[in-house]
Structure formats: C-alpha cells, structure tokens
Amino acid sequence: MDKLKHWIELAQKLEKGDLWKGVFDTHDEAPSGGAQGGKPSAYPAYDLYEREEENWVVLELPGLCREDVDLTLSGNELTVRGIAKPPLDNAVPLHKERFYGPFERTIPLPQLGEQSPVHARFERGLLILNYERMRRKDEHIEIE
C-alpha cells in the first residue's frame, strides 16, 4: 500500500511539473530546519487571536531578547526582522535542529484601524503584540 501511495504522489508531481523535485528524497531526514539548522519556511511561527475588542499576535522567538528584533508596521502589515544568535560562541555543533541567523517575516494584521497603536512586549521567549480592532458602526447604505 505504501508503494502505491508513493507512485500516486509521483504521478501527481509529474502532472504539476515537479517530478524530479522529490524523487531522491529519503523521507527519513530531520524535520524542516533539520540537522543543518536551516531556516524553516515560516520563521518565526506565530498565532493570531481575537479577544474582546483587541487582536493579539504571538510569535515564537526562543533565546532572543528585544534588542535582537526589529518591528516595522507598513499599512496593515507587520514585518519582524532580526538575528537569532547561537547560545555558545566557538562551539562545533554535533547535532543542530534550531535555526540561527538573520530572519524576516511579514504578517498581515486583520482589522487594524488607522489610529490603532500596536503594543509589543517580550515574555518567556514569546513576542506578544496587541492592538484594538477596527470597529465599524452601523451605517445606512443608500441604494442607487
């Protein structure tokens, strides 16, 4: 059954035009970021919450402090940039899964009002941001 699933996956890749992309993968390698410590495709990971009249964004930034991170707001997009530094200088890694190096991620902030200030703080390896959601009052719409 596993062989059949593998052949179906290969046929689907052939249809998409990326057949050779995964033909020689061993499938038992380390997860994203793996033993080489490469940057995961979506770093840093984040969650978005809605609570009462505010939205909250929680980003995972283990081992970083506020001096390592730069936040920029452009329109309704938050850009998070920084550098994740290894905890030990001059050490040779024997096994490495964590990412170190420069990173950048842009996050759309839903319902961000033009005058809504964004507040940010670090807490236990998490960067936590919150802002007041834009509220639309009931308004009458004319029918033309």
Side-chain angles (χ1 to χ4, degrees), residues 44-55:
Y46 77 94
D47 294 329
L48 182 63
Y49 299 96
E50 180 179 295
R51 186 166 90 181
E52 297 172 10
E53 296 179 359
E54 293 181 317
N55 281 354

Side-chain angles (χ1 to χ4, degrees), residues 74-138:
S74 179
N76 70 332
E77 292 187 331
L78 174 73
T79 301
V80 182
R81 291 182 190 88
I83 298 177
K85 299 172 188 168
L88 302 172
D89 293 331
N90 302 321
V92 177
L94 301 176
H95 178 79
K96 185 175 161 189
E97 293 184 3
R98 296 187 58 201
F99 165 74
Y100 300 108
F103 62 88
E104 179 176 324
R105 183 153 191 198
T106 300
I107 301 167
L109 300 180
Q111 302 170 317
L112 177 65
E114 289 182 24
Q115 303 299 321
S116 296
V118 178
H119 305 281
R121 71 179 191 276
F122 254 105
E123 188 175 311
R124 299 179 314 206
L126 300 174
L127 176 59
I128 302 170
L129 298 100
N130 69 302
Y131 61 92
E132 188 175 322
R133 284 195 317 276
M134 178 176 57
R135 290 175 289 183
R136 180 176 290 214
K137 296 180 181 180
D138 292 339

Side-chain angles (χ1 to χ4, degrees), residues 60-81:
E60 286 185 355
L61 292 168
L64 275 70
C65 56
R66 65 187 181 127
E67 294 81 18
D68 299 327
V69 180
D70 181 54
L71 300 174
T72 307
L73 186 62
S74 179
N76 70 332
E77 292 187 331
L78 174 73
T79 301
V80 182
R81 291 182 190 88

